[in-house]
Amino acid sequence: MLSDSIKTLQQKLFRGAEDTNGIQQTDLRDPGLTIQIPKTELTPPAHKPPPKTSKVVSGNPNIQEYRSTKSYRQRLSETLGVDYDGVEKYRLLQDENRERHWKRWGPYLSDRQWATVREDYSDNGDAWSHFPHEHSRSRAYRWGEDGIGGISDSHQRLCFSLALWNEQDSILKERLFGVTGHQGNHGEDVKEIYYYLDSTPTHSYMKFLYKYPQRRYPYEELVNENVHRDRNVEEYEILDTNVFDDDRYWDVFMEYAKDEDDPDNVYIRITSYNRGPDPATLHIIPQLWFRNTWSWPAQKPPMPSLSAAATDGDISYIKVKHPEMGGSFLCCLPSPPPMGPDGKFVGDEDDVINPDLLFTENNTNFRRLYGGMNQSVCVKDAFHDHIIPSHRPQRGRSDSQGTDDSSTPRQAVSIPACEAPPQEFSFVSPEKCGTKSAAHYIFRDVPSRGGCAVVRLKLTPLSPNKDRSLEDEGAFDDVVEERREEANEFYSSLLFGPISDDLKQVMRQALGGMLWTKQFYYFVQKEWIEGDPAQPSPPPGRQHIRNKHWRHMHVEDILSMPDKWEYPFFAAWDTAFHCIPLAVVDPVFAKKQLDILTREWYMKPDGQIPAYEWNFSDVNPPVHAWATFRVFKIERKLTGREDLPFLERVFQKLLLNFTWWVNRKDSEGKNVFEGGFLGLDNIGIFNRSEPLPTGGNLRQADSTAWMAFYCLNMLNIALELAKHNAVYEDIASKFFEHFIFIADAMTYKSGEHESSLWNEEDGMYYDAIEFGPGNSIQLPVRSLVSLIPLYATLVLEPAVINRFPGFKKRMEWFIDNRPEISGRNMANMRAGGRGERRLLALASKERLVRILEKMLDEDEFFSEYGIRSLSKLHQEKPWGMQVNGDWHEVGYWPGESRSGMFGGNSNWRGPIWLAVNFLLIESLQRFYQYYGDELQVECPTGSGDYMNLVEVAEEIQHRIIHIFGRDMEGKRATNGGNVRLNQDPHFRDYVSFYEFFHGDTGRGLGASHQTGWTGLVAYHILQSGVSCRLPKTPRTPRSLVHHYFDETIDAQSEHGGDTQSLYSAISALELKSLGDISPDAL
């Protein structure tokens, strides 16, 4: 017989959120993202439902009670009065001031830890083969953990994630599957459907969606089909299989909500919907475990433990003990039976579903993988064996290849057969304790077409016997809903002006995805390269495979990842772009990301910043200074606060990095730089990171332009710091002169001869190969290499020049006395622009116009969806040359790469990349600051429609937004015409943020969850979403962009001093909202 408390709990399972008057409310603001919990038609309980939670003692002093019908927002607003700026911003302030550790728990699990460089201990550096997917369920990780929609503490000691079973698969679905770099026809690629839907910066509320097939997951089919496709064919995706036919899948939503004033209380709600035509059974298996820290040191450290217990009301929970964390509990609430879309329970409503608590050890199953002896009776993959009979070892069969059919056969040492255990053998701990645990819920015959099952759990340091929310699911749900409303409040505060609901959703998913893509990244190079005392020594040759010169690296941080499955590691120049939209929602986190890469445990002593784990010594474009100053200015815009210590600290370290560039990448001291591939992978006719097959030296237009860009950003920061410390005025002068010399080097001397990277006939910049004095050739490939020189642009306000007389004197001396340098390869610095501004830029007005003529030509660079990375001209006119009997050629490839260069999983020969487009947009905005309406260009070229440069910038922004926004037919370009993704009501509201996009159609390509730099679209929406038209609709004759430019409003220059800003300051009301976030206004 059920207790009254359980009956009450069950009756309130699916009730709606209520306002303070007890009236049920329906939230229509984001229907595509809101989990609509079905409402029951049960007779309400005789007693009044408990009000919203609040900690107060009433009656039993050991029980948490609820004292107020007011929400936390209302109470906090009354307490703070005029200082109230939203609950989430209040939490961010508490976290920054270390009053509450709101970011202790977050989405810090990787989506893929297997097959990473950190887990690779092979003798050949083949990370994909050394630790494949079929090992991941049985083999303990050394450097991190992974899972589906999971969370961990900030040191990843304790982890939580979801596992599922559909009674068809041969393994539990406890991590995301994809093809490896060897198996994919375009490199590695995740083959799952999941979405990061929402997150606040403190992770007080998060939402995740995973779509789980009801049919057997097609591991083998996905691998085999991709292996047999060549690079000229599109990738074979899971939607190309039949597993989602007839809608036979589950929508599994995971929501996390923290208690209103306690960041260590985490409410977890897992809601699963049967979308298929028939009733189906689903096993929901939330898992809680410790990262394995005990298998590696010579002396075993004190062991953490998990054990089973129950409350006085028979609610099961897992007791957590860790020597560094103290005690906590995962409370696993009983669940009501499944409910149909008609609101009726399946079977007797009294038949609650209690979980079976399972325990094992997070230790490698040596017996299964290698035929060896296990260190413990229970091992990492025990839950697979316990739940799935077919997964258990069979006598005489080797399980070394696994049972998921997820890999093709590989050469391997002979592994003995795995003997089947005795029949009475228990795969899980009979004592109900261990270092890995799970709560096994089974929901049978969940009704079709919207039937649902719900699991609730709570991770808390509070004693379960003292927690009333465990016995009142209505109160539990109230917490989740209140956190969601606070998330609504936070994101609404970012908006300035009317933006369509669709673009609001795109923006919120982009920012939410960026916050979800944080990861605990752990790597100690010395331990990694030497091996662990308690493990076999790694092969000696491994020390020379990669990263041997980075022995100082000791990383143990929460970092922003490009994509937690395809790129579960930091990438230096990606991080710089991540920080721009991240600064909008959490400036403190953005600043830390930029600061930390320059710290001594990352940066080499010679000043080099690590690129990424596959090769820390690779060279990425020097964008760190730009991002640092942009984040500084965004925070100043949002909060009115200037974090000068941050700016100065990073600037000092970047002086070392700048020196490294000058000493290592300017081999002959001519200010012409050879940076290598510079993140643009296959953009060149040759691999730019290797010696040229032609011989000679590559003179890179983009590398030299990047350094000019670097100089100008360092100059800009120095002038900002000079407002507070006069020493920096001299440093600003130094960077001014260095910029002049780099700009002059765009025409470089070769013996007695001069050769230029500018091609006067084509009106473009090109790379050149220098064979010797007087002997060089240009490589006339129209690519981003030709456009990147536009990035090197800085406008100096007259107030700035007059404020620093030393800098002004040095600049004027240089202009007067070195005219052959100052006037040859850059804009004329003598002429004042709008408002007597001065322009520092590589491109003069004439060159700028000629470059834009090609860049804005829709038959060259200008796509419907942004600026292509290679001119479409090369579709009909590829450019190539014969070298040593081999033909090398660059042609226009608007989609996936047709080359294996750099793994073949990215392509810079035609697609659209948001990061480089972002810098082009900002460059045009800065050029406008100088030229104003005086300079008009035809946009698109040949259209007869002329625009000023900021209107051009906005047009590019709108085209980028059109990748993601719905057109008049409800289609999103990023979906590539997929009918299900565009029209299915259970797909169409969710957006995938790909790595790059097809140059002609806007279809998403590459990594499918790279809200890293693709999250920049959120910034574009905030900046120009108000005036953005629908995709595939005509542009209005006159742009609405002029809401940015109200010259009647006085504004301060970014360097201080009163000027009439071309960019509108709108009003003082803009403070603490973005409003105008163009470069000048910032």
Side-chain angles (χ1 to χ4, degrees):
M1 191 69 180
L2 293 177
S3 68
D4 291 340
S5 62
I6 295 297
K7 285 185 177 180
T8 301
L9 176 153
Q10 185 186 49
Q11 288 172 327
K12 295 175 180 176
L13 169 61
F14 293 121
R15 72 171 193 169
E18 296 180 355
D19 67 10
T20 54
N21 296 315
I23 301 173
Q24 195 171 69
Q25 300 294 306
T26 302
D27 192 331
L28 300 177
R29 281 175 290 185
D30 56 341
L33 300 183
T34 302
I35 298 174
Q36 299 295 345
I37 305 293
K39 309 299 189 295
T40 71
E41 298 178 353
L42 299 178
T43 304
H47 61 278
K48 184 178 179 181
K52 308 247 181 205
T53 63
S54 177
K55 296 177 184 178
V56 65
V57 175
S58 175
N60 185 344
N62 295 322
I63 297 293
Q64 177 178 299
E65 283 290 348
Y66 308 89
R67 68 182 177 189
S68 175
T69 57
K70 292 183 178 179
S71 70
Y72 183 61
R73 281 184 300 153
Q74 292 172 310
R75 286 181 277 123
L76 185 63
S77 176
E78 291 173 0
T79 300
L80 298 179
V82 295
D83 293 326
Y84 179 77
D85 198 24
V87 175
E88 184 61 17
K89 292 181 181 179
Y90 180 70
R91 291 194 180 105
L92 284 169
L93 190 61
Q94 284 185 313
D95 189 81
E96 183 180 3
N97 295 335
R98 304 195 176 199
E99 297 169 9
R100 297 279 193 283
H101 194 348
W102 281 106
K103 298 175 188 174
R104 176 180 285 115
W105 293 94
Y108 308 141
L109 279 188
S110 178
D111 288 344
R112 175 176 63 83
Q113 184 67 18
W114 55 275
T116 59
V117 168
R118 281 158 291 145
E119 301 294 341
D120 176 22
Y121 285 78
S122 68
D123 59 354
N124 61 358
D126 185 358
W128 296 114
S129 299
H130 180 71
F131 202 136
H133 177 265
E134 64 268 26
H135 280 202
S136 59
R137 66 183 180 276
S138 305
R139 185 170 160 188
Y141 293 129
R142 171 64 175 88
W143 297 100
E145 295 289 338
D146 59 17
I148 297 175
I151 63 172
S152 77
D153 67 281
S154 55
H155 294 281
Q156 202 164 98
R157 295 164 293 199
L158 184 62
C159 309
F160 173 91
S161 76
L162 178 66
L164 301 163
W165 190 45
N166 55 15
E167 298 195 341
Q168 301 296 318
D169 286 343
S170 57
I171 60 173
L172 300 179
K173 176 59 70 173
E174 61 180 357
R175 57 182 48 82
L176 300 171
F177 173 75
V179 294
T180 68
H182 301 322
Q183 296 165 343
N185 60 327
H186 297 114
E188 66 271 24
D189 186 51
V190 67
K191 301 299 181 184
E192 305 270 15
I193 301 178
Y194 59 103
Y195 301 92
Y196 304 118
L197 295 181
D198 206 359
S199 179
T200 57
T202 64
H203 311 297
S204 58
Y205 179 75
M206 298 191 295
K207 185 188 296 183
F208 174 88
L209 169 61
Y210 176 67
K211 291 181 177 284
Y212 182 44
Q214 294 174 4
R215 292 184 175 93
R216 185 180 177 93
Y217 193 90
Y219 293 104
E220 185 176 14
E221 179 184 350
L222 287 165
V223 171
N224 289 339
E225 184 62 33
N226 279 283
V227 163
H228 291 99
R229 292 190 174 196
D230 65 28
R231 296 189 187 280
N232 296 313
V233 181
E234 290 184 4
E235 297 171 359
Y236 189 65
E237 305 292 357
I238 192 168
L239 284 179
D240 297 324
T241 72
N242 71 347
V243 295
F244 282 90
D245 289 0
D246 305 318
D247 295 328
R248 294 185 186 276
Y249 69 92
W250 298 92
D251 267 341
V252 183
F253 291 88
M254 298 182 70
E255 291 176 284
Y256 298 92
K258 296 179 182 178
D259 203 20
E260 63 183 38
D261 199 33
D262 188 344
D264 293 321
N265 272 308
V266 183
Y267 297 75
I268 304 165
R269 186 168 68 186
I270 303 168
T271 313
S272 302
Y273 293 93
N274 178 4
R275 301 299 185 196
D278 300 311
T281 294
L282 179 64
H283 296 240
I284 299 178
I285 314 159
Q287 300 190 28
L288 185 74
W289 74 99
F290 294 111
R291 176 167 58 89
N292 187 323
T293 57
W294 53 85
S295 293
W296 327 112
Q299 186 170 353
K300 203 169 188 178
M303 288 292 291
S305 68
L306 303 167
S307 57
T311 68
D312 298 337
D314 293 328
I315 295 177
S316 300
Y317 64 89
I318 298 168
K319 191 173 182 178
V320 180
K321 288 186 177 180
H322 191 284
E324 297 175 4
M325 297 182 69
S328 58
F329 311 89
L330 179 67
C331 303
C332 309
L333 281 64
S335 290
M339 175 177 280
D342 58 359
K344 295 180 180 179
F345 286 120
V346 173
D348 191 334
E349 64 182 68
D350 288 342
D351 294 337
V352 297
I353 296 171
N354 284 294
D356 183 15
L357 299 188
L358 308 176
F359 294 83
T360 187
E361 302 293 343
N362 188 17
N363 289 332
T364 297
N365 189 340
F366 289 99
R367 187 166 179 265
R368 168 169 271 131
L369 294 176
Y370 313 113
M373 295 292 294
N374 286 333
Q375 297 173 344
S376 56
V377 175
C378 300
V379 287
K380 182 177 178 180
D381 55 13
F383 302 153
H384 297 261
D385 288 327
H386 176 78
I387 295 172
I388 308 174
S390 64
H391 189 272
R392 297 166 189 166
Q394 303 297 315
R395 188 172 299 276
R397 188 194 77 192
S398 170
D399 281 353
S400 62
Q401 292 300 318
T403 56
D404 60 4
D405 301 317
S406 62
S407 69
T408 52
R410 301 186 310 278
Q411 293 294 325
V413 298
S414 176
I415 299 175
C418 183
E419 292 298 322
Q423 288 187 355
E424 66 274 9
F425 181 81
S426 175
F427 293 97
V428 297
S429 168
E431 294 81 17
K432 297 281 187 180
C433 62
T435 51
K436 180 178 179 181
S437 63
H440 184 196
Y441 293 82
I442 305 176
F443 295 92
R444 300 203 178 277
D445 300 320
V446 180
S448 61
R449 303 301 186 195
C452 98
V454 177
V455 168
R456 290 177 173 82
L457 310 104
K458 185 176 181 181
L459 183 62
T460 175
L462 300 175
S463 170
N465 283 311
K466 300 179 182 180
D467 193 341
R468 174 67 180 274
S469 68
L470 302 182
E471 297 188 3
D472 186 345
E473 288 193 353
F476 187 109
D477 285 346
D478 285 343
V479 173
V480 178
E481 293 306 314
E482 191 171 346
R483 294 299 87 76
R484 191 178 67 84
E485 284 300 318
E486 291 162 5
N488 291 342
E489 175 191 54
F490 175 76
Y491 282 105
S492 295
S493 73
L494 303 179
L495 299 172
F496 187 82
I499 296 176
S500 73
D501 289 342
D502 181 51
L503 292 187
K504 287 177 185 177
Q505 285 197 13
V506 173
M507 180 203 76
R508 185 158 170 177
Q509 288 184 61
L511 294 172
M514 296 196 73
L515 293 167
W516 263 98
T517 314
K518 296 178 181 181
Q519 181 183 308
F520 173 76
Y521 189 90
Y522 182 38
F523 177 77
V524 181
Q525 197 269 5
K526 185 177 185 297
E527 296 177 11
W528 176 79
I529 209 161
E530 293 178 358
D532 296 302
Q535 298 294 319
S537 299
R542 176 175 174 275
Q543 298 193 21
H544 306 289
I545 294 172
R546 60 169 61 93
N547 298 330
K548 66 179 181 180
H549 299 301
W550 293 81
R551 298 185 69 86
H552 68 287
M553 284 198 71
H554 188 122
V555 181
E556 190 175 356
D557 295 298
I558 302 299
L559 300 179
S560 177
M561 300 291 136
D563 178 313
K564 288 203 295 187
W565 195 95
E566 191 152 332
Y567 301 110
F569 46 81
F570 72 89
W573 84 303
D574 295 58
T575 297
F577 290 100
H578 299 181
C579 290
I580 305 307
L582 282 173
V584 172
V585 293
D586 190 355
V588 173
F589 180 73
K591 288 185 297 183
K592 183 175 181 181
Q593 297 298 290
L594 294 168
D595 185 17
I596 206 167
L597 285 179
T598 65
R599 300 304 297 266
E600 58 272 21
W601 49 90
Y602 285 78
M603 179 186 277
K604 280 179 72 175
D606 64 6
Q608 185 178 10
I609 292 175
Y612 50 87
E613 67 179 27
W614 285 94
N615 185 359
F616 286 131
S617 296
D618 263 351
V619 182
N620 285 164
V623 291
H624 218 77
W626 163 78
T628 296
F629 200 35
R630 285 297 265 134
V631 168
F632 170 83
K633 292 189 290 182
I634 290 170
E635 183 182 36
R636 181 169 63 187
K637 173 71 175 177
L638 288 171
T639 68
R641 181 178 56 195
E642 293 185 332
D643 192 347
L644 290 167
F646 155 74
L647 187 65
E648 186 170 16
R649 183 169 59 250
V650 177
F651 180 78
Q652 294 284 355
K653 302 292 181 61
L654 290 178
L655 291 174
L656 295 175
N657 180 247
F658 188 89
T659 303
W660 174 84
W661 269 88
V662 171
N663 291 338
R664 298 297 298 274
K665 294 301 173 183
D666 177 19
S667 61
E668 299 180 12
K670 297 178 179 179
N671 295 302
V672 181
F673 292 84
E674 311 134 33
F677 85 111
L678 285 171
L680 306 185
D681 294 17
N682 64 344
I683 201 166
I685 190 171
F686 309 116
N687 185 334
R688 303 196 303 171
S689 288
E690 296 178 355
L692 297 175
T694 60
N697 295 317
L698 184 66
R699 301 306 192 186
Q700 293 182 223
D702 60 329
S703 181
T704 304
W706 280 121
M707 282 304 292
F709 175 74
Y710 196 175
C711 264
L712 291 180
N713 282 292
M714 293 294 278
L715 164 60
N716 216 3
I717 296 173
L719 288 174
E720 182 69 37
L721 294 173
K723 295 195 301 184
H724 309 275
N725 186 341
V727 169
Y728 287 101
E729 187 175 351
D730 294 340
I731 297 177
S733 296
K734 173 63 177 173
F735 280 109
F736 168 77
E737 292 184 18
H738 211 128
F739 166 74
I740 299 299
F741 285 117
I742 290 175
D744 187 56
M746 296 296 275
T747 297
Y748 61 92
K749 291 187 177 181
S750 182
E752 297 299 320
H753 304 274
E754 286 190 346
S755 300
S756 180
L757 300 178
W758 171 259
N759 185 300
E760 185 61 36
E761 181 179 351
D762 290 356
M764 300 290 281
Y765 289 101
Y766 296 131
D767 285 347
I769 301 176
E770 183 185 10
F771 298 102
N775 183 12
S776 66
I777 61 168
Q778 285 188 339
L779 306 178
V781 177
R782 296 189 181 183
S783 69
L784 282 171
V785 169
S786 306
L787 306 182
I788 286 172
L790 298 184
Y791 296 167
T793 308
L794 176 65
V795 176
L796 293 176
E797 301 282 349
V800 176
I801 299 172
N802 294 329
R803 180 168 186 164
F804 302 113
F807 174 77
K808 178 181 180 181
K809 181 178 179 180
R810 183 65 180 162
M811 182 180 72
E812 291 178 343
W813 182 94
F814 217 97
I815 293 171
D816 293 337
N817 291 275
R818 305 294 293 274
E820 76 286 358
I821 293 178
S822 62
R824 180 167 58 177
N825 284 296
M826 63 200 77
N828 185 354
M829 291 184 296
R830 290 179 178 275
R834 290 290 299 270
E836 293 304 311
R837 292 174 170 87
R838 293 292 183 94
L839 177 66
L840 302 181
L842 289 182
S844 64
K845 183 178 181 180
E846 293 74 20
R847 289 185 179 181
L848 171 64
V849 170
R850 294 193 66 188
I851 292 171
L852 292 181
E853 181 182 354
K854 267 76 72 178
M855 191 182 91
L856 300 177
D857 188 337
E858 293 179 322
D859 292 326
E860 289 215 35
F861 288 96
F862 205 24
S863 164
E864 285 186 51
Y865 304 102
I867 304 299
R868 300 179 177 104
S869 50
L870 187 83
S871 170
K872 197 173 182 178
L873 172 77
H874 292 302
Q875 185 172 39
E876 300 296 332
K877 298 180 180 179
W879 189 86
M881 62 188 300
Q882 191 92 14
V883 181
N884 300 325
D886 296 323
W887 181 252
H888 300 263
E889 183 179 271
V890 172
Y892 176 68
W893 302 340
E896 296 279 12
S897 175
R898 302 173 194 171
S899 157
M901 195 182 296
F902 289 90
N905 63 339
S906 64
N907 180 25
W908 292 82
R909 296 186 178 182
I912 296 151
W913 294 76
L914 264 64
V916 288
N917 270 258
F918 190 88
L919 291 177
L920 281 171
I921 290 165
E922 287 209 336
S923 297
L924 292 171
Q925 292 170 336
R926 287 193 297 270
F927 274 121
Y928 179 84
Q929 292 175 32
Y930 180 77
Y931 291 114
D933 290 328
E934 173 191 339
L935 179 57
Q936 304 267 330
V937 295
E938 196 175 19
C939 180
T941 301
S943 67
D945 189 5
Y946 283 81
M947 305 182 193
N948 63 41
L949 296 187
V950 81
E951 291 172 327
V952 173
E954 188 187 55
E955 176 64 16
I956 298 171
Q957 284 183 313
H958 289 176
R959 293 189 179 210
I960 288 171
I961 293 171
H962 291 170
I963 294 172
F964 306 93
R966 286 197 184 100
D967 64 16
M968 294 290 288
E969 298 176 353
K971 299 176 182 178
R972 302 185 195 275
T974 185
N975 291 337
N978 186 291
V979 175
R980 183 191 292 270
L981 296 179
N982 283 325
Q983 297 181 7
D984 190 313
H986 301 303
F987 280 83
R988 65 191 181 197
D989 290 331
Y990 309 128
V991 182
S992 292
F993 297 89
Y994 286 86
E995 183 181 4
F996 54 100
F997 301 88
H998 194 286
D1000 297 333
T1001 68
R1003 179 170 64 89
L1005 301 166
S1008 55
H1009 292 76
Q1010 188 151 338
T1011 42
W1013 60 22
T1014 301
L1016 288 163
V1017 68
Y1019 202 85
H1020 290 314
I1021 292 171
L1022 287 167
Q1023 192 175 68
S1024 69
V1026 171
S1027 58
C1028 187
R1029 66 189 185 278
L1030 284 174
K1032 299 183 182 297
T1033 57
R1035 183 179 168 274
T1036 54
R1038 185 167 181 80
S1039 171
L1040 300 177
V1041 76
H1042 288 288
H1043 70 277
Y1044 290 135
F1045 307 97
D1046 185 349
E1047 294 187 70
T1048 64
I1049 295 178
D1050 289 340
Q1052 279 206 329
S1053 158
E1054 63 181 77
H1055 295 293
D1058 294 329
T1059 65
Q1060 287 195 323
S1061 174
L1062 292 173
Y1063 290 84
S1064 169
I1066 308 297
S1067 72
L1069 294 177
E1070 277 190 37
L1071 189 62
K1072 299 186 180 181
S1073 69
L1074 282 172
D1076 178 10
I1077 51 176
S1078 49
D1080 185 60
L1082 289 172

